[in-house]
Amino acid sequence: QATSIETSACVGDLNDPKNKLREAFFHHSAIRCFWLGHNGRCRYYGKKCIDLFWQGGQVTSYVAKFYLGMNSLGLIRKKSEVQLNKEVVRVATAAMKDAADNSDWNFSNKFRLLQAEHLSLNNRHCPVTVLPLYDESIESARKSGFIHEQGLACEKAGNYCKGVLKMEKALEYLNQARECYEKWGSDVKVALIQK
């Protein structure tokens, strides 16, 4: 209750279609929830984003699709609404391919990470196929200066390696992720990596 009152005081009525702040509020709430690992809340705010700008071609729409795709991959791993989430991943991956074709420096790392994560769902025991995609995502994010997305790709690669029992490689990726998150200034992500 207090949260909705505070939100109303800060951004106004989120049900009012004339409220220009609601798109930013839903977008940032979805991304914040993704980074904090709140899949259900990310999905909730992500659905709000879909209602507002899913078909749009602006950068905000592509970024939202990336985070919703990544969130949906996490939900698929948890066996939650698998068919619905597979469709979200399909749409997000297609959008990232389109975006990367038009702006490689901004979207190539996102496209490669979605590909790697999607492939890792079905190829748990084929690191030769999956790890190069993670590495391409990491390198692309590094070149573009997206330290948080470089950390995310390292984290996901590390988790994949743990799953296929490549513990030395997992530790290497997770240490890289921790370093990226430290540079980014995210104590929360650093703490999660160190667990």
Side-chain angles (χ1 to χ4, degrees), residues 31-77:
I31 292 173
R32 183 183 67 242
C33 290
F34 170 81
W35 282 105
L36 293 174
H38 302 303
N39 295 102
R41 287 186 220 162
C42 180
R43 182 82 179 133
Y44 170 79
Y45 288 117
K47 285 181 181 178
K48 297 286 189 181
C49 290
I50 290 169
D51 292 343
L52 291 173
F53 54 79
W54 185 254
Q55 298 301 323
Q58 71 259 24
V59 171
T60 304
S61 133
Y62 284 110
V63 171
K65 288 175 187 175
F66 168 69
Y67 283 108
L68 288 172
M70 290 298 295
N71 187 66
S72 290
L73 285 160
L75 290 169
I76 290 169
R77 279 187 168 72

Side-chain angles (χ1 to χ4, degrees), residues 167-186:
M167 296 309 184
E168 190 173 310
K169 192 74 173 160
L171 187 58
E172 181 184 320
Y173 280 121
L174 292 171
N175 281 331
Q176 287 178 28
R178 182 188 42 76
E179 289 171 11
C180 290
Y181 291 145
E182 283 175 347
K183 288 178 188 171
W184 187 37
S186 177

Side-chain angles (χ1 to χ4, degrees), residues 1 21 41 55 60 75 108 130 132 137 158 160 173:
Q1 180 70 2
L21 295 176
R41 287 186 220 162
Q55 298 301 323
T60 304
L75 290 169
S108 182
V130 178
S137 177
Y160 172 75
Y173 280 121

